[in-house]
Amino acid sequence: MLQDSLPGPELFVVALTVSDAIRPKITVILDSEQGFGIDECAQVSRRLARRIDEAYGEEASYTLEVTSPGADQPFTDQRQYTRHVGRTLSLKLQDDTEKTGLLEATEAEGIQLAEEIKEKNKKKVLPAVLIPFADIKEARVVISFK
């Protein structure tokens, strides 16, 4: 039902959860490579609510929330990297090492990251290297208030 509620292939599902309660809460998290706004969230919400009502009856009791991932949420889909090119990412790799750097590009097999390292109280930026998606355990945008 959710896939059929999406307006087109540009939006994709990041997460879908349904709480186990008397009045279940359905939470849908969507994203797009180009970003999207509240109008798209409202459109998906209306379409999905209509499909749920058709399938379970209008007297079905539930709460529906359609949203985008928060800025502090880790990426869960490779397509999320594309719209963050030019931003600083914090990565945790499969071997539990951590890297922070500028996301310069995305490729089919991974990302190009120009890592920032501290050297004698100064920041140094290394040339971009390819980090395969398979090596990334967690990636988040570094939020800066500067």
Side-chain angles (χ1 to χ4, degrees):
M1 285 187 277
L2 176 56
Q3 283 301 129
D4 291 340
S5 300
L6 299 179
E10 65 280 352
L11 280 179
F12 55 89
V13 178
V14 173
L16 169 66
T17 58
V18 180
S19 70
D20 187 22
I22 294 171
R23 181 182 169 126
K25 179 178 182 182
I26 303 165
T27 304
V28 176
I29 302 175
L30 303 174
D31 210 345
S32 167
E33 291 181 18
Q34 292 79 34
F36 65 101
I38 195 159
D39 292 340
E40 289 88 355
C41 285
Q43 180 184 30
V44 171
S45 181
R46 284 190 301 273
R47 288 178 176 182
L48 183 57
R50 201 167 33 249
R51 284 179 170 78
I52 292 170
D53 291 347
E54 288 170 359
Y56 297 100
E58 290 186 16
E59 53 284 333
S61 180
Y62 62 92
T63 303
L64 176 60
E65 177 184 18
V66 178
T67 186
S68 61
D72 62 337
Q73 295 297 306
F75 296 173
T76 57
D77 190 294
Q78 293 177 8
R79 295 172 286 184
Q80 289 179 280
Y81 290 88
T82 303
R83 79 178 161 103
H84 294 288
V85 169
R87 296 184 79 180
T88 301
L89 298 184
S90 173
L91 302 180
K92 181 179 270 189
L93 302 179
Q94 294 294 348
D95 64 4
D96 286 327
T97 60
E98 295 182 9
K99 294 182 182 290
T100 300
L102 183 70
L103 175 60
E104 291 193 353
T106 61
E107 299 180 10
E109 61 277 354
I111 62 170
Q112 290 286 337
L113 188 81
E115 185 179 5
E116 295 175 1
I117 59 170
K118 290 182 182 177
E119 203 174 74
K120 297 181 184 175
N121 297 328
K122 293 183 181 179
K123 284 187 181 179
K124 180 179 178 182
V125 178
L126 301 177
V129 295
L130 178 70
I131 299 176
F133 288 120
D135 291 353
I136 301 172
K137 185 187 288 187
E138 182 178 278
R140 296 175 187 259
V141 172
V142 175
I143 300 169
S144 175
F145 296 101
K146 293 180 182 178

